[in-house]
Amino acid sequence: MAPTLPSFNPARLRSYVFRLPLFTRATLLAILVFWILELQSTWNVVRWGGLVPNEVGFGTMYRLNTYPLIHVNFLHALFNALALTPLMERFEAENGTLVTLAMFFGPLSTLPAALYLLVERGILRSNTAVQGASVWVFVLLGVEAMKAYRANPYFSISTVQIPTWTTPLFILVCVTALVPYTSLLGHFCALGVGYIYGLGYLKILAPPEKILRWIEGKLNLLGRLPHYVSVDQKTFGRYGVLPTSTPSSAGLGEGSVPMTFLGSTQRLGP
């Protein structure tokens, strides 16, 4: 009997989208809102929020947080959103909404930006602007690669054993070679931060769980916010409603993460 390809199931896709956790939803909405704002000609959103080395100063430090949400066109935003969603959903499911908020608008945005500025402006003496959620894609690919490396250090191609942690490097090379106007340096900085986080060295920057539990209880976030993920999934369940449930691992799904990206200027593509 000839093998058959799995059929597309709209019901499963709809169920997955409806179950996305809160911060992942908010991030996708922010990407959509900024893209819509780019349609008008009065305010140049890309120039306002992109990571432009020579325009980053004390008065424009917000760029270190806004550049992942800014995209140069619809396809750039779409493909980055498709690549980011399963990775961020998995991260939020495992760490909680408040931790994800603190890390992605904290060190997982600012550290790749700082490394990029250090090399681009301090060493290369250049001023290439970058933007795009692919910075988070490569951060999370680095995190997932280190998790996979702990479970399975090597995979084999014929008789050659290849370290599992190198997988995102192959993705980085392919994206750089196949997709025009992407930033190799920006992606490499993001991937490096992801590796460091995956090794556990950046977890010290995460807010203490004791404080997060206090905030959750004081503000009753579990009761007020739909799709909120508690910092303590083992006690509250993934969405804080089923104390005896096991956190779901829905996220990456089968197959590889889509990494096709387009755009008209060099950016933190893809």
Side-chain angles (χ1 to χ4, degrees):
M1 181 179 294
T4 58
L5 295 175
S7 60
F8 173 73
N9 190 334
R12 292 184 61 185
L13 176 61
R14 183 169 59 252
S15 175
Y16 174 75
V17 171
F18 286 162
R19 294 176 62 242
L20 288 176
L22 181 61
F23 181 78
T24 303
R25 289 167 175 255
T27 299
L28 296 176
L29 178 61
I31 291 174
L32 175 62
V33 169
F34 276 115
W35 173 75
I36 293 175
L37 290 175
E38 291 167 16
L39 299 179
Q40 49 79 42
S41 57
T42 305
W43 177 37
N44 191 325
V45 178
V46 175
R47 187 166 184 81
W48 168 82
L51 189 63
V52 186
N54 287 349
E55 295 185 15
V56 175
F58 287 108
T60 56
M61 294 295 286
Y62 65 86
R63 293 176 182 271
L64 302 181
N65 292 118
T66 57
Y67 74 99
L69 302 174
I70 307 297
H71 297 82
V72 296
N73 56 42
F74 173 72
L75 290 179
H76 184 207
L78 175 63
F79 289 121
N80 273 345
L82 291 176
L84 177 66
T85 300
L87 293 167
M88 180 172 282
E89 187 269 347
R90 183 184 182 95
F91 185 94
E92 185 174 357
E94 294 176 350
N95 296 276
T97 298
L98 285 183
V99 173
T100 306
L101 171 65
M103 296 305 293
F104 276 91
F105 282 100
L108 297 187
S109 290
T110 58
L111 289 181
L115 288 175
Y116 179 79
L117 292 175
L118 176 64
V119 177
E120 180 73 7
R121 186 167 66 180
I123 299 177
L124 300 180
R125 303 294 181 181
S126 186
N127 187 41
T128 304
V130 293
Q131 55 274 321
S134 61
V135 60
W136 287 339
V137 172
F138 277 95
V139 166
L140 290 170
L141 285 175
V143 174
E144 293 295 327
M146 297 312 300
K147 289 165 58 178
Y149 179 73
R150 293 192 185 96
N152 184 21
Y154 300 95
F155 66 92
S156 298
I157 298 180
S158 184
T159 59
V160 180
Q161 284 193 326
I162 302 175
T164 311
W165 63 267
T166 61
T167 304
L169 293 175
F170 292 114
I171 298 175
L172 174 61
V173 171
C174 291
V175 169
T176 304
L178 299 177
V179 184
Y181 307 114
T182 57
S183 174
L184 174 63
L185 175 59
H187 290 157
F188 189 78
C189 292
L191 185 56
V193 172
Y195 282 145
I196 295 173
Y197 183 91
L199 291 171
Y201 295 120
L202 295 182
K203 292 185 178 180
I204 191 175
L205 300 178
E209 288 190 1
K210 183 177 181 180
I211 296 177
L212 296 180
R213 290 192 184 96
W214 181 85
I215 294 174
E216 287 183 347
K218 193 71 173 178
L219 300 179
N220 189 25
L221 298 180
L222 291 172
R224 294 180 177 179
L225 300 178
H227 305 286
Y228 178 85
V229 184
S230 169
V231 70
D232 193 357
Q233 297 94 356
K234 291 182 179 180
T235 300
F236 299 107
R238 182 177 177 187
Y239 295 110
V241 294
L242 297 175
T244 59
S245 66
T246 300
S248 171
S249 61
L252 288 179
E254 296 182 359
S256 59
V257 178
M259 292 300 298
T260 309
F261 309 90
L262 300 172
S264 59
T265 61
Q266 188 176 29
R267 60 196 182 282
L268 268 185

